[in-house]
Amino acid sequence: MLPVIGTLRPWAHPEQLSLHRLPMHVPLPLGDDARISLDGQWQFELFDTPESVPETAVLGPTPAGRTVTVPGNWTLQDTGDLPHYTNVQMPFPGPPPALPTRNPTGVYRRKFTIGRGWKSHRVWLHIGGAESVHAVYLNDRFVGYGTDSRLPSEYDITDHLVAGANHLAIVVVRFSAQSYVEDQDQWWMAGLHRSVHIEARSPVHVADVEVDADLRLADSPGLLRARTTVGFTKPPVKGFTVRTWVETLAGKRVGRPLEGAVPHVHESPYIFTGHEVVASWELPNVQPWSAESPTRYRVHVELVRPDGKVAEATSQLVGFRHVEVRDRQLLVNGQPIWIFGVNRHDHHPDRGKAVTVDDMRADLEVMRRHNSTAIRTSHYPSDVGVYGL
């Protein structure tokens, strides 16, 4: 039985979405020195049900044995558990939230080490996607549990780390109560199908950046609002600021940089709204974004410590365009457009749901050659690479 959560069986309860998972946020690009990829070969064992997984499968040093590739689907790596296609019916009898008697459960194991420079940081584990649900154990301790198979799950593993080799186990349950919600017209797969990595975050860090860009059609200024949320893993202190600016992709600044103090007196009732800093601009002479001329700009965010040094920096790409429905037409920047759309899944004939950016680009290029102008992504959140393309 799985340690800590085995008797609770959270995978059987639709209302249990996570345990100890960090709040979700938009993708935050960080420097390469702040991340260690855990993609590659993992030790792997497959069991018939989550209840039949022994504690010894997730505890202790990482064992030797058969391996599978991460990101990947174990259903396409000769494990004996195969892909399953259904359309409108579930692959097992209901009613919700009943689960099948045989519910394949994979135990992924690997070890990793971190550098000395990481000891002053918080260390997060990032699981890009796991079908259907997953539980995390590090060095014989339960870390957390997550659902949402097409969204990243992150966990603060700082207090579970040890000097030297760290032994990580991720248990993935193929079917869960969430499977009823995530059912789609597609191949059912299983496993860690998106990238896994660990990253170093400052005790005070950029937790989220929400950017809204628009275009005022009358005189064409770009309207932009960036709200940065700062996370504290220690008692909040004053003196931190957020510096934000907009620039072209060539690095030329547009408008002036804005700086704001990070609120820290969170004890004030009815007044404190969060550790958030908002920056807004009305930028003249921006180039509008359109499908024919997809001009983009970069919003750069720096978290500045009280001593003036930059604690963290991140950025987002945006385009200035105005979308509206008027007179029964869909307008972009005031012009009517036609949508010739097609469904798209993250899917590869050999790797299943584990698609690369090159795979995504090839999909889109083929669609465009056949005069498609839009893709339908409402089945689930696609891999973040799709949105960049």
Side-chain angles (χ1 to χ4, degrees), residues 301-318:
V301 177
E302 289 183 342
L303 176 62
V304 183
R305 298 199 302 244
D307 61 6
K309 295 181 179 180
V310 176
E312 277 191 356
T314 189
S315 62
Q316 284 193 33
L317 296 178
V318 300

Side-chain angles (χ1 to χ4, degrees), residues 22 32 59 67 78 92 108 129 161 225 251 285 299 304 315 342:
L22 295 170
D32 291 339
L59 305 181
T67 63
D78 297 324
F92 51 85
Y108 291 82
L161 294 170
R225 183 177 185 270
N285 302 320
V299 179
V304 183
S315 62
V342 64

Side-chain angles (χ1 to χ4, degrees), residues 84-284:
H84 189 160
Y85 179 83
T86 59
N87 188 344
V88 297
Q89 71 272 23
M90 291 292 291
F92 51 85
L99 298 178
T101 302
R102 182 177 181 273
N103 189 3
T105 300
V107 178
Y108 291 82
R109 300 290 306 272
R110 69 158 294 161
K111 60 183 178 181
F112 65 87
T113 59
I114 59 173
R116 293 182 178 179
W118 285 41
K119 294 186 181 298
S120 61
H121 291 71
R122 305 301 295 183
V123 180
W124 291 5
L125 171 68
H126 174 101
I127 300 173
E131 186 175 346
S132 165
V133 299
H134 65 275
V136 180
Y137 297 84
L138 180 62
N139 298 322
D140 298 350
R141 298 172 64 186
F142 173 69
V143 173
Y145 167 85
T147 61
D148 305 295
S149 67
R150 300 301 194 273
L151 287 171
S153 292
E154 293 181 328
Y155 304 91
D156 189 334
I157 60 173
T158 311
D159 297 335
H160 303 276
L161 294 170
V162 298
N166 288 269
H167 297 275
L168 174 64
I170 302 178
V171 181
V172 180
V173 184
R174 181 168 185 179
F175 297 116
S176 70
Q178 277 69 35
S179 297
Y180 288 94
V181 179
E182 297 185 343
D183 177 36
Q184 296 290 347
D185 175 13
Q186 63 171 331
W187 285 95
W188 290 86
M189 297 289 181
L192 296 173
H193 58 93
R194 293 181 184 169
S195 289
V196 179
H197 67 253
I198 56 174
E199 61 186 37
R201 304 303 306 271
S202 300
V204 183
H205 57 272
V206 177
D208 203 0
V209 180
E210 297 181 19
V211 178
D212 293 315
D214 202 350
L215 188 72
R216 192 165 64 211
L217 299 181
D219 46 357
S220 296
L223 309 176
L224 192 141
R225 183 177 185 270
R227 182 176 68 181
T228 300
T229 301
V230 177
F232 287 87
T233 58
K234 61 182 183 180
V237 296
K238 67 178 181 179
F240 281 87
T241 59
V242 171
R243 183 187 303 133
T244 313
W245 69 85
V246 186
E247 62 185 25
T248 66
L249 297 191
K252 181 181 178 181
R253 291 193 179 181
V254 181
R256 61 186 183 88
L258 298 180
E259 192 162 337
V262 178
H264 67 285
V265 186
H266 61 282
E267 297 91 347
S268 302
Y270 309 111
I271 298 176
F272 180 74
T273 58
H275 305 293
E276 298 178 350
V277 176
V278 176
S280 299
W281 294 267
E282 185 172 308
L283 303 169

